[in-house]
């Protein structure tokens, strides 16, 4: 049960303080778990200064009337209760300024010791905390505008974001650890103030938000021994493991440093070469209700590419390219290349127009660029220029044709080796754990799955980040001249050469993970289109293919045999335990890495394009949706997949 902060005896508060010796000084830390949360009411003021709650607004009428009201009204938010837990004892107050005084008392009790206070989605609470602590904030790390990774207050308190650590909502985090969030106990549409009385159920809702966090953070503290050592982000968990592996191998840090881009020009070239997964809909099948689809997807596609392929083993350096055949000589290549009259061979287009080099395309012989696309994918371009790897070039030639020889404007090359074996074995152990623990230990299963997914996230993390600052509570990128910006990038890149411990994995590895996967998916498209069966493919998304396939479609079964044999040969060559690539679940079913699996069957399916589709798995099933930026729960508003159309609006208030 929550305790009002005035009823708590701070004089008897004992904190778990320990010391760490660092060179000639001693630092002190608290190993206690502190959590903070607020509940906020939204209010709306119309042109006559009448105040409305969200529930009031929803009574105005239909969606169009509500939208007109929002266009003219002023919006605000008011915290009406705060909760602060100290090792599971949950204190509360109604005015946010009270929390500042409470935290200052705890800070004084801790003395020199540093405290860590976790907030689930600090990006939201930060808007209120910065006003409460505005005179006591010496440092904030913003990774994006309005997205703090941490915020320091006083001399010894650091707010951290537990959402960045878990990438889970509180409800899902609670489900994972077995402490249920009290969903539905609080009506967010009601207007409340710090003077409003709250029911026992509403108070319980507030309390359990912190109890979920406490239970989850205890697991992290148990794993990392101290609160101080809990990583700031999910990717940071894997980054720490990789650093430990690197530290055990002589020369590993120096090797990774040699692979890192060393100049602003190099990182610009590599970042322009980098592209994500291949996502598209077959235009011949878009905006139609389809029945009888089957979905195949690859078991851990990105880990598969990391396991089975070689990657850059040094930095890219400029070199002449005598022949296009040299792109397949066993080295890695990045080229800046222009194609004339580039055109898709088949109805399905894969080349992203947004990755081209230049604002609106290249002007050729005084003629403006002629261009035709399909949902952002190039169908025809009279002249277009890209940075791409040799894998991207191979994929393009499977599905496109062009006039004459492509013009190579720039060429860079790097040597090629497998990723070190200890890294591969670490990744495969995560994959094996993810497979075997799914039902026997769901919490550990989720942790291993998150770590496995984070390996790619770490590989594609840019070596530098834009600096964000705040002026009068308004976040923005730090303004820099071109010279200052170049100097800023150079300074960040120099640190990888002078502070070797900062090196975890080369950025270029992330480029090739996705490049290899796009090539694999392009081969699927080319196979069916070349046979005149483009109609079989309906939707592609990074590592999956939905279409009119049989459950044992010959192509996927043949590819699986090839993958199993390739995996065996790599394990034999590198002396890796083959069983790590073929773990068995609790039911005795093997799950080989990288094979195509029959993932789903769809009674009905409709897509409007990339990242926009709806489906039913059975006739009695509700409609499920996958739409970029729209919560999946919004699918409950659709009665039929045919309701998914261009221009559809979701009324998330009802």
């Amino acid at each position: 049960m929550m305790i009002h902060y005035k009823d708590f005896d701070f004089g008897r508060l004992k904190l778990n303080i320990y010391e760490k010796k660092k060179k000639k000084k001693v630092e002190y830390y608290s190993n206690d778990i502190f959590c903070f949360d607020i509940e906020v009411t939204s209010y709306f003021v119309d042109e006559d200064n009448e105040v409305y709650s969200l529930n009031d607004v929803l009574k105005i009428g239909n969606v169009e009337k509500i939208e007109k009201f929002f266009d003219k009204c002023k919006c605000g938010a008011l915290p009406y209760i705060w909760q602060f837990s100290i090792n599971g004892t949950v204190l509360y107050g109604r005015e946010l300024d009270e929390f500042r005084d409470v935290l200052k008392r705890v800070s004084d009790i801790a003395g020199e010791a540093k405290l860590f206070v976790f907030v689930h989605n600090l990006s939201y609470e930060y808007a209120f905390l910065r006003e409460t602590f505005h005179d006591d904030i010496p440092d904030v790390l913003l990774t994006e505008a309005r997205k703090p990774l941490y915020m320091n207050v006083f001399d010894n308190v650091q707010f951290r974001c537990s959402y960045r650590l878990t990438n889970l909502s509180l409800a899902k985090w609670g489900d994972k650890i077995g402490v249920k969030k009290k969903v539905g106990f609080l009506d967010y549409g009601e207007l409340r103030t710090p003077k409003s009385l709250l029911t026992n159920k509403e108070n319980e809702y507030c309390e359990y938000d912190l109890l979920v966090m406490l239970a989850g953070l205890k697991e992290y503290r148990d794993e990392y021994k101290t609160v101080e050592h809990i990583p700031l982000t999910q990717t940071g968990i894997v980054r720490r493991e990789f650093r430990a592996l690197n530290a055990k191998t002589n020369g590993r840090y120096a090797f990774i440093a040699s692979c890192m881009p060393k100049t602003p020009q190099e990182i610009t070239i590599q970042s322009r070469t980098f592209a994500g997964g291949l996502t598209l809909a077959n235009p011949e099948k878009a905006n139609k209700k389809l029945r009888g689809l089957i979905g195949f997807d690859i078991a851990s596609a990105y880990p598969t590419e990391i396991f089975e392929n070689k990657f850059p083993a040094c930095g890219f350096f400029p070199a002449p390219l005598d022949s296009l055949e040299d792109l397949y000589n066993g080295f890695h290549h990045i080229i800046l290349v222009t194609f004339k009259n580039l055109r898709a061979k088949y109805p399905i287009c894969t080349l992203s127009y947004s990755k081209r080099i230049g604002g609106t395309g290249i002007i050729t012989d005084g003629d403006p660029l002629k261009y035709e696309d399909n949902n952002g994918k190039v169908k025809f371009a009279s002249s277009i220029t890209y940075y791409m790897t040799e894998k991207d070039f191979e994929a393009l030639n499977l599905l496109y044709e062009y006039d004459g020889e492509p013009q190579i404007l720039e060429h860079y090359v790097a040597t090629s080796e497998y990723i070190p074996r200890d890294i591969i074995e670490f990744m495969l152990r995560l994959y094996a754990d993810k497979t075997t623990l799914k039902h026997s230990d769901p919490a550990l299963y989720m942790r291993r799955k998150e770590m496995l997914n984070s390996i790619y996230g770490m590989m594609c993390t840019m070596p530098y980040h834009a600096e964000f600052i705040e002026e009068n509570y308004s976040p923005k990128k730090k303004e820099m001249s071109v010279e200052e910006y170049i100097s800023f990038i150079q300074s960040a890149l120099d640190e990888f050469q002078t502070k070797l411990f900062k090196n975890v994995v080369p950025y270029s590895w992330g480029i090739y993970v996705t490049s290899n996967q796009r090539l694999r998916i392009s081969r699927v498209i080319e196979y069916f289109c070349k046979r005149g069966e483009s109609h079989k493919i309906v939707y592609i998304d990074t590592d999956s293919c939905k279409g009119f396939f049989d459950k044992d479609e010959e192509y996927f079964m043949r590819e699986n045999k090839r993958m199993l044999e390739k995996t065996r040969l790599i394990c034999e060559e590198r002396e890796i335990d083959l069983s790590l690539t073929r773990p068995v679940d609790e039911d005795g079913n093997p799950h080989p890495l990288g094979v195509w699996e029959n993932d789903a069957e769809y009674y009905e399916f409709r897509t409007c394009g990339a990242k926009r589709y709806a489906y039913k798995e059975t006739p009695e099933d509700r409609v499920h949706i996958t739409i970029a930026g729209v919560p999946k729960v919004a699918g409950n508003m659709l009665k039929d997949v045919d309701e998914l159309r261009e221009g559809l609006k979701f009324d998330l208030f009802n």
Side-chain angles (χ1 to χ4, degrees):
M1 187 173 181
M2 292 196 297
I3 303 172
H4 193 277
Y5 75 96
K6 288 183 179 179
D7 298 327
F8 183 73
D9 187 356
F10 287 92
R12 301 183 65 180
L13 177 61
K14 301 294 182 184
L15 299 179
N16 181 8
I17 307 295
Y18 65 94
E19 66 177 43
K20 286 178 63 177
K21 293 182 179 179
K22 289 190 175 181
K23 295 183 180 179
K24 296 182 179 180
K25 66 177 182 177
V26 177
E27 294 182 349
Y28 298 90
Y29 295 88
S30 165
N31 204 29
D32 304 275
I33 296 177
F34 300 95
C35 304
F36 175 75
D37 188 27
I38 57 176
E39 297 302 333
V40 175
T41 192
S42 298
Y43 63 88
F44 310 88
V45 183
D46 68 9
E47 296 169 303
D48 298 322
N49 286 326
E50 290 290 329
V51 179
Y52 291 72
S53 69
L54 181 59
N55 286 340
D56 293 333
V57 174
L58 297 180
K59 295 174 184 176
I60 290 175
N62 58 31
V63 173
E64 289 185 5
K65 288 182 178 179
I66 292 174
E67 287 179 345
K68 288 179 180 178
F69 176 84
F70 282 143
D71 287 340
K72 295 180 180 180
C73 77
K74 295 179 181 179
C75 305
L78 174 68
Y80 59 86
I81 187 171
W82 57 264
Q83 306 91 254
F84 178 58
S85 71
I86 306 172
N87 293 326
T89 300
V90 182
L91 311 182
Y92 78 93
R94 302 303 298 270
E95 300 281 355
L96 203 50
D97 285 343
E98 299 167 341
F99 171 64
R100 183 199 173 282
D101 298 334
V102 167
L103 189 61
K104 186 67 173 75
R105 293 182 70 176
V106 176
S107 168
D108 290 342
I109 292 169
E112 297 179 57
K114 191 166 187 176
L115 314 176
F116 301 94
V117 180
F118 290 87
V119 183
H120 206 69
N121 194 6
L122 180 58
S123 298
Y124 184 79
E125 271 82 353
Y126 175 61
F128 303 95
L129 289 173
R130 67 184 180 187
E131 294 189 29
T132 305
F133 291 94
H134 60 89
D135 292 329
D136 306 301
I137 304 176
D139 184 33
V140 179
L141 177 60
L142 293 162
T143 54
E144 297 179 41
R146 298 183 178 85
K147 286 194 176 180
L149 186 58
Y150 62 75
M151 177 180 77
N152 293 326
V153 302
F154 304 132
D155 294 322
N156 63 334
V157 178
Q158 183 176 90
F159 286 93
R160 291 184 173 185
C161 182
S162 54
Y163 178 78
R164 299 282 290 273
L165 173 65
T166 64
N167 280 348
L168 295 171
S169 67
L170 265 183
K172 288 185 177 179
W173 195 10
D175 290 342
K176 171 185 166 184
I177 59 180
V179 180
K180 291 284 188 181
K181 175 179 165 62
K182 300 296 182 180
V183 178
F185 280 25
L186 199 64
D187 181 359
Y188 280 95
E190 186 178 331
L191 188 63
R192 296 182 177 89
T193 75
K195 301 294 184 183
S196 302
L197 295 177
L198 299 180
T199 67
N200 289 336
K201 279 196 170 185
E202 289 169 339
N203 279 318
E204 188 179 2
Y205 175 98
C206 299
E207 180 183 18
Y208 263 78
D209 278 2
L210 294 195
L211 295 182
V212 169
M213 294 174 63
L214 173 69
L217 290 166
K218 278 183 176 178
E219 289 187 357
Y220 281 103
R221 186 178 63 181
D222 290 345
E223 182 170 352
Y224 293 99
K225 310 307 179 188
T226 67
V227 175
E228 171 209 357
H229 284 102
I230 296 175
L232 288 167
T233 65
Q234 192 177 94
T235 302
I237 296 172
V238 175
R239 186 176 287 111
R240 186 172 296 179
E241 298 286 349
F242 269 55
R243 280 206 170 100
L245 292 174
N246 293 343
K248 293 177 182 177
T249 305
N250 274 341
R252 176 71 60 76
Y253 282 130
F255 161 69
I256 297 172
S258 72
C259 297
M260 293 294 288
K262 299 172 182 63
T263 67
Q265 181 188 21
E266 288 180 48
I267 187 58
T268 298
I269 291 167
Q270 291 188 27
S271 64
R272 288 181 173 181
T273 304
F274 176 84
L278 184 57
T279 304
L280 56 89
N282 184 342
E284 295 182 331
K285 300 298 179 181
N287 299 306
K288 298 177 181 178
K289 179 190 285 188
L290 306 172
R291 288 185 173 173
L293 271 66
I294 288 178
F296 281 92
D297 73 351
I298 300 169
S300 292
Y302 282 167
T304 299
E305 301 303 337
I306 293 168
F307 164 78
E308 73 167 356
N309 291 295
K310 293 184 177 182
F311 288 79
C314 69
F316 281 87
F317 54 89
L321 183 65
D322 298 325
S323 167
L324 290 174
E325 295 300 319
D326 291 343
L327 292 176
Y328 309 105
N329 60 4
F331 288 80
H332 289 300
H333 303 263
I334 291 177
I335 56 175
L336 178 62
V337 54
T338 297
F339 300 95
K340 299 290 181 65
N341 292 324
L342 181 74
R343 51 201 179 271
K345 296 180 184 178
Y346 309 110
I348 301 174
C349 310
T350 58
L351 194 62
S352 173
Y353 185 59
S354 65
K355 291 297 294 184
R356 74 204 184 284
I357 302 304
T360 56
I362 307 300
I363 304 300
T364 308
D365 299 329
D367 294 328
L369 174 73
K370 295 178 181 178
Y371 169 72
E372 185 180 353
D373 83 344
N374 185 287
N375 195 212
K377 300 294 192 294
V378 177
K379 187 174 182 181
F380 171 82
S382 57
S383 179
I384 200 162
T385 302
Y386 287 94
Y387 277 108
M388 58 175 56
T389 70
E390 76 281 3
K391 304 290 186 179
D392 295 325
F393 186 74
E394 182 179 351
L396 180 141
N397 279 279
L398 291 176
L399 302 172
Y400 286 85
E401 55 191 4
Y402 42 82
D403 291 349
E405 287 283 305
Q407 183 182 4
I408 307 299
L409 306 175
E410 298 173 17
H411 172 238
Y412 307 90
V413 66
T415 56
S416 177
E417 296 290 345
Y418 283 118
I419 288 176
R421 191 177 71 177
D422 58 341
I423 292 177
I424 295 298
E425 289 178 332
F426 170 75
M427 181 187 73
L428 291 176
R429 283 193 291 272
L430 292 178
Y431 175 69
D433 286 349
K434 186 193 82 165
T435 303
T436 58
L437 296 171
K438 187 168 186 177
H439 299 295
S440 62
D441 192 336
L444 188 55
Y445 156 77
M446 281 300 299
R447 188 73 56 83
R448 295 295 182 263
K449 180 180 179 181
E450 291 160 3
M451 290 175 69
L452 184 64
N453 293 339
S454 293
I455 291 176
Y456 163 69
M458 181 178 59
M459 289 181 173
C460 66
T461 299
M462 279 286 282
Y464 70 92
H465 299 281
E467 289 188 334
F468 290 88
I469 60 173
E470 286 196 325
E471 293 180 358
N472 299 321
Y473 297 147
S474 178
K476 64 178 182 179
K477 280 188 180 181
K478 183 178 179 181
E479 293 182 3
M480 289 184 274
S481 66
V482 173
E483 292 77 12
E484 289 173 331
Y485 190 57
I486 291 174
S487 177
F488 163 71
I489 297 174
Q490 185 65 67
S491 177
L493 297 177
D494 285 345
E495 287 198 352
F496 291 100
Q497 308 304 318
T498 59
K499 300 178 180 179
L500 295 183
F501 66 88
K502 289 180 68 71
N503 291 281
V504 184
V505 291
Y507 176 69
S508 57
W509 289 0
I511 295 172
Y512 271 86
V513 171
T514 54
S515 185
N516 282 309
Q517 179 59 26
R518 288 193 300 275
L519 175 58
R520 186 173 183 183
I521 292 292
S522 295
R523 286 172 175 154
V524 177
I525 297 170
E526 193 252 0
Y527 172 82
F528 286 102
C529 289
K530 197 172 183 178
R531 291 164 56 94
E533 297 178 338
S534 62
H535 62 276
K536 280 193 170 184
I537 297 175
V538 174
Y539 189 85
I540 295 282
D541 192 353
T542 306
D543 62 350
S544 65
C545 188
K546 307 181 195 302
F548 296 103
F549 309 116
D550 296 326
K551 294 181 181 179
D552 55 351
E553 182 72 30
E554 179 186 352
Y555 172 83
F556 298 109
M557 299 304 104
R558 187 169 62 250
E559 279 296 294
N560 286 349
K561 289 181 181 179
R562 181 196 65 79
M563 184 65 209
L564 290 172
E565 178 62 13
K566 184 174 183 179
T567 299
R568 185 188 67 79
L569 293 174
I570 291 173
C571 287
E572 188 177 286
E573 176 187 352
R574 306 201 68 197
E575 299 181 347
I576 294 172
D577 183 356
L578 180 63
S579 67
L580 290 175
T581 70
R582 303 178 182 185
V584 177
D585 64 23
E586 293 96 327
D587 297 324
N589 300 313
H591 292 269
L593 179 74
V595 300
W596 287 97
E597 297 178 326
N598 183 345
D599 177 57
E601 298 179 20
Y602 302 95
Y603 170 69
E604 290 181 342
F605 184 93
R606 181 185 177 96
T607 178
C608 296
K611 296 296 183 184
R612 292 173 291 165
Y613 62 84
Y615 64 90
K616 285 184 175 183
E617 293 185 339
T618 66
E620 298 77 24
D621 194 13
R622 69 177 181 86
V623 176
H624 302 268
I625 63 168
T626 293
I627 303 173
V630 178
K632 290 187 180 294
V633 69
N636 293 332
M637 301 174 191
L638 304 183
K639 303 301 181 186
D640 191 279
V641 298
D642 258 345
E643 294 179 33
L644 182 71
R645 297 179 179 278
E646 296 290 347
L648 174 66
K649 293 182 179 180
F650 289 91
D651 180 5
L652 298 180
F653 298 117
N654 291 316

